Amino acid sequence: KDDAPALAILDWMMPGMTSQTVNGIPNGALYVRLWTRIGANWFFNDYSYTVSVIGDDYPWKSSTADSVNSYTHFYTRECTDFVAWRMNRDTGHTSPTSFWFTDWMPNSSNVWGNAVSWEAHATTLGYRVDSSPAVGAVAYFSFGHVAYVESINADGSVNVSEYNYNLNHLYGYRTNVKNVTAFIHIVH
């Protein structure tokens, strides 16, 4: 086996534990299989991790600000449209015609609307809304803003990617953000 030396090192570092990559990195996801030896028997668990790049990957960054995005039904270059993009991206829906997260989710008579209403709407739809940060969660601010959680710091603050935080309709990245009202767990 090609990876026998690496597996021997893992077995020496963590007796009875080893891992292997399963299926490479399709669609930005990394699949890992963790093997555990209990006695003479081997057992495994499969895990998947979303691999993404921090930065402005928003497809409509050159669009006219506040025009209606015909795919998400949010206003372009606003925080809500950027977060909708990230929810779609994180689930592998990067073709606009395949988007599942839109303003009209679950239907056109029950919309997400402006960011100020996202906490209540998410709760109504049964999504988990709490004070626990998670990578990929929506950071909700009661003053009417949402952002995408990129990472969590040791002190519990978060680093976020966002659009239109300074009302400039541009991408921004903020670090050590502590004033998040709640975290909405739509995908993660």
Side-chain angles (χ1 to χ4, degrees):
K1 200 171 179 183
D2 294 45
D3 55 357
L7 295 178
I9 291 169
L10 279 172
D11 195 43
W12 171 76
M13 291 171 49
M14 301 179 301
M17 304 281 296
T18 186
S19 67
Q20 70 186 91
T21 301
V22 179
N23 296 332
I25 306 177
N27 299 320
L30 176 66
Y31 299 92
V32 177
R33 177 167 287 166
L34 179 63
W35 290 87
T36 306
R37 185 174 56 208
I38 301 174
N41 298 314
W42 283 91
F43 302 92
F44 68 87
N45 288 310
D46 288 335
Y47 301 91
S48 64
Y49 302 91
T50 301
V51 179
S52 59
V53 176
I54 295 173
D56 190 0
D57 61 348
Y58 179 62
W60 298 282
K61 61 183 125 215
S62 299
S63 296
T64 302
D66 290 329
S67 57
V68 175
N69 184 326
S70 60
Y71 299 107
T72 65
H73 308 286
F74 289 107
Y75 292 106
T76 56
R77 297 175 56 190
E78 292 286 349
C79 61
T80 51
D81 199 47
F82 176 73
V83 169
W85 157 248
R86 286 290 179 92
M87 296 299 102
N88 284 300
R89 182 203 70 183
D90 285 2
T91 56
H93 294 89
T94 55
S95 171
T97 57
S98 71
F99 284 175
W100 68 273
F101 189 93
T102 69
D103 191 19
W104 296 357
M105 186 181 106
N107 57 56
S108 61
S109 63
N110 191 10
V111 298
W112 286 84
N114 192 306
V116 74
S117 65
W118 276 42
E119 180 183 34
H121 191 66
T123 301
T124 299
L125 293 177
Y127 289 105
R128 184 166 55 103
V129 178
D130 59 26
S131 60
S132 301
V135 173
V138 177
Y140 167 80
F141 302 86
S142 60
F143 58 83
H145 184 65
V146 289
Y148 178 87
V149 178
E150 296 285 3
S151 58
I152 306 162
N153 302 311
D155 66 357
S157 65
V158 294
N159 304 319
V160 298
S161 284
E162 60 199 341
Y163 251 78
N164 203 31
Y165 175 69
N166 292 319
L167 303 177
N168 59 5
H169 296 99
L170 298 174
Y171 172 81
Y173 181 80
R174 288 189 293 147
T175 60
N176 303 310
V177 178
K178 297 179 180 177
N179 65 332
V180 178
T181 305
F183 295 95
I184 303 171
H185 304 271
I186 295 171
V187 176
H188 303 279

